[in-house]
Amino acid sequence: MGSVLRQLGTSSQQKARSHQNIFVLVSLFFLVGLGLRVMNLGLKTAWMDEVSTVIFSLGNSSYFLPTEAVVDLKALLQPITLNSEATFLDSARYLLQENNHPPAYFMLAHFWMDLFSREGAVASLAIARLFSALLGSLAIPCIFWAAKNTFQSSLAGMLSAAFMAVSPFSLFLSQEARHYGLAITLITLSLGCFVIAARSVSAQKAPDWQLCLGWGLVNIFAFANHYFSALTFCAEGIVIAIIAGKQIRQERLSVLWKSHWRPIYGAVSITTLGILAWLPVLLHFYGSPQTTFLRENGWFMRWFNPLVQTFAAFITTFVTPANFFAQTPLDFVIISFGILLTLLFIAKFVPTFFRGIGKLCNVPQKRMGSMLIGGFLLAILSLFAVICYVYGSDITRGLRYKFTYYPAVLILSGGIFAHYWTQRSPNGDLSISIPFSRKRLSGRRFVQLTWILGLLSSLLIVNNVAFPKYYAPDRFIPFVQEHSIYPVVLASTEKVHEQPTVIGARFLSIGWEIDRNFHPNDPGSGWKAAPMFFSIRHGYGVERSLTESFADRIDQIAKPADVWAIRSRIEDDDPLIVTMPESCRLSPDMPQGNKGGYLYVHLRCREAQE
C-alpha cells in the first residue's frame, strides 16, 4: 500500500511539475510575442486606415477636417486631436455615419486613447498601435488552449503558441492601429470553443452549457468587432451540419432532438441573434465606396489573384522576405537574398506541411482534431471562393481578411509540428540540399528552423524592412521640400459619396508625419517656412465645382508658393490641370507624378503681376 501511495504521490508531483513547466513555456512565448509586438511601434508612418481608426477612437469625425480656409498644421490635425468632451458614444456615432465597420474596437480604443492623451494634444501613433498590440498578444495563450483541446496534446498547444508569437501575419496586423489584432484573438477563442463543442457532440455527449454560452458571446463580440467574422461562424456551422448529417444517416432525424444537441442550439441562437441585431446597419452600408476596390475588372486577375493571395497568406503565417523600398544596390541584394531564401523555404516546407496533415489523420487520437480543423479550413476557403468567383469581390486582397481563418492554420500547424517533434525525420528522408553536400534534417530541427525563420521575419517587420506601409509620407515630405523653391502649401481634394464616406485620411497622414518627424519648430526640419494646408470637398452634396473652390483657396494663400495638390487619381483631363487659376502654372520641376504612394499635381503660384 505504501508503495502504491508513493507511486501516486510521485505521479501527482510529476503532473504538477509538468503543468508548471507548461505554464512557464506558454508565459515565455507570450512575453516573446508581446515584446515583438510592442517593439518600434512608432517607427512606421501612419497609413490612411490607421488615421481613420484614431479619428473615430478619439470620438471625432473625419469632417472636422477644415475645408473652408487655408490653415496651419495645428488646425489641420484637429480630427486626430484629443477632445475631452467626446465620449465613446461619439466614437460609435461618427463611425457608423462615415465608415463601414462595427464600433466595438473603436469604443474600447476611445477609453485607451483618453487614458494616455491630454486635452488639445495630437494623438500618439505609438499609443494607438499599442492597444492593438496588447490585444493581439492575447491570442498566444488563447491558441495554446485551442490547439491543446483540438489535438488533446499540450505539446501541440505549446507549438501553436510558439508560432503565434513570431508569426509575421499576426505581428504586422497587431502592430497596426486597427481592429485586426483583437479579431485574431476573438476568432482563436471562437475556434477553441467550436472544437470542444464539436468533439462532444460528435461523440453524442452534451457540450458544457457554459462553454456554449461563452462561444455565443465571443461570436457576438467578434462580429461587433468585424463583420467578416461571420465567415468564421458560417464555416463552423458547416462542419457542425456535417456532423449532424452523419448522425441523421445513422439514427434518423430524431437524433437532432437528443440532449447533446441542445447546447449547440443555444450557441447558434445567441450568435444568430447577435448578427441580426446589426442587420439595419449592414443594409445601410451595402455598396459603400470603401469596398469597391475589392472588385477586379480584368478576367485574368479576377481568377488568378485569389489563388496567389491565398497562397501568399498561408506563407506569411510562417515567413516573409524583406520587401522595403530599395534605394541602394545593397538594398536590392538584401531583398533578392530574402526572396531566394523564402522560395527555398517554400519548396521544402509546403510539401512537408501537407504530408503532415495525412500523418495526423493516421494517428487515432489526433484524427478527430485534424478532421474538425481541416474541415473548417476547407469550408471557409470554399466560402472565400464563392465570394471571389461568384459574387465577384476579391476579399483575398491585402491579406488582412485572412484573420477569419488564420488561427485555424496555426492550430493545425501545432498538431503537425507536434507530430514531427518526436520524429527522427519529418518524412523519413527529409533533406536540405546544400551546394557540395547533402544534410538530413530531423523532425525537431525542422520545427526549430521554421520557428527561427519566423522570428527573423518578425524582426524584419518591426524594423520596417518587411510589410512596409503602402503610403510613405516620410518619403513624400522630403521630396516636396527638395523640389520647392517657395513656401509650401499642401492641398487635397476629398470626394464625398452618397454612401458613408471617410474624408481626409490620406491627407492627414502627411500632416501627422510632419507633426511627428518634420515639425517646422524643430531644428533641421527642412522647411523654408512653416507649410500651410487646405482641403476641398467635392461630389455628393457639394454645390460648388472643384475648380471654383480650388481657385478660391489659391486666392487665399500668400504668394509666391509651391502648391502640391494630393489627388486620388490624375488623368489628362484633370480639372486642376485643365482649368488651373491664372496665377498658377504646372511647375517645371516634377509637375505631377507619384511619390511614396501619393499622386500629386505640383503648381507654382505667383502674384498676377509677376
Side-chain angles (χ1 to χ4, degrees), residues 475-485 488 526 528 564 589-590 595 602 604:
R475 290 175 51 214
F476 178 69
I477 295 165
F479 176 79
V480 168
Q481 293 173 330
E482 179 185 354
H483 296 283
S484 297
I485 61 174
V488 169
K528 298 178 178 67
W564 297 77
D589 189 11
M590 300 297 178
K595 188 65 176 181
H602 180 195
R604 195 152 283 165

Side-chain angles (χ1 to χ4, degrees), residues 124-188:
S124 166
L125 180 58
I127 291 297
R129 287 170 172 168
L130 180 59
F131 187 55
S132 175
L134 294 174
L135 294 174
S137 298
L138 296 177
I140 298 169
C142 290
I143 205 163
F144 164 78
W145 167 76
K148 177 189 174 187
N149 284 288
T150 299
F151 296 105
Q152 305 294 293
S153 166
S154 295
L155 177 59
M158 284 190 292
L159 289 173
S160 288
F163 279 90
M164 175 69 83
V166 300
S167 172
F169 179 83
S170 175
L171 183 70
F172 108 85
L173 284 187
S174 296
Q175 281 205 320
E176 285 189 344
R178 296 291 286 161
H179 42 185
Y180 295 103
L182 175 59
I184 289 172
T185 297
L186 293 173
I187 294 301
T188 303

Side-chain angles (χ1 to χ4, degrees), residues 244-298:
K246 181 179 178 181
Q247 292 186 5
I248 289 172
R249 286 195 300 272
Q250 293 174 343
E251 304 182 34
R252 298 187 179 181
L253 196 62
S254 59
V255 71
L256 298 181
W257 305 112
K258 290 188 176 180
S259 60
H260 65 277
W261 279 102
R262 292 170 191 165
I264 298 292
Y265 299 150
V268 172
S269 299
I270 293 170
T271 301
T272 303
L273 290 174
I275 292 176
L276 290 177
W278 290 97
L279 190 58
V281 178
L282 289 171
L283 293 175
H284 179 61
F285 283 123
Y286 178 79
S288 168
Q290 297 165 11
T291 61
T292 55
F293 79 98
L294 295 175
R295 291 188 176 272
E296 286 282 2
N297 294 323

Side-chain angles (χ1 to χ4, degrees), residues 35-212:
L36 288 169
R37 283 159 178 77
V38 302
M39 189 181 297
N40 294 335
L41 282 176
L43 179 61
K44 296 183 180 182
T45 58
W47 75 298
M48 54 189 298
D49 281 10
E50 290 183 294
V51 175
S52 298
T53 300
V54 172
I55 290 172
F56 299 124
S57 296
L58 292 172
N60 293 335
S61 164
S62 68
Y63 289 81
F64 289 177
L65 181 77
T67 58
E68 300 303 321
V70 180
V71 298
D72 61 10
L73 181 62
K74 182 179 179 180
L76 173 76
L77 298 180
Q78 196 62 36
I80 56 172
T81 299
L82 179 70
N83 175 14
S84 60
E85 296 181 0
T87 69
F88 71 98
L89 294 177
D90 291 318
S91 295
R93 176 166 63 95
Y94 287 127
L95 176 77
L96 294 175
Q97 287 175 358
E98 302 169 28
N99 207 282
N100 57 357
H101 288 298
Y105 177 86
F106 302 86
M107 295 170 74
L108 291 173
H110 176 82
F111 295 106
W112 174 265
M113 297 302 291
D114 265 1
L115 189 63
F116 294 101
S117 304
R118 68 180 190 277
E119 174 67 15
V122 175
S124 166
L125 180 58
I127 291 297
R129 287 170 172 168
L130 180 59
F131 187 55
S132 175
L134 294 174
L135 294 174
S137 298
L138 296 177
I140 298 169
C142 290
I143 205 163
F144 164 78
W145 167 76
K148 177 189 174 187
N149 284 288
T150 299
F151 296 105
Q152 305 294 293
S153 166
S154 295
L155 177 59
M158 284 190 292
L159 289 173
S160 288
F163 279 90
M164 175 69 83
V166 300
S167 172
F169 179 83
S170 175
L171 183 70
F172 108 85
L173 284 187
S174 296
Q175 281 205 320
E176 285 189 344
R178 296 291 286 161
H179 42 185
Y180 295 103
L182 175 59
I184 289 172
T185 297
L186 293 173
I187 294 301
T188 303
L189 286 172
S190 179
L191 285 171
C193 295
F194 155 72
V195 167
I196 296 173
R199 270 185 171 275
S200 295
V201 78
S202 182
Q204 299 201 12
K205 296 178 181 178
D208 184 79
W209 269 102
Q210 291 180 331
L211 174 86
C212 289

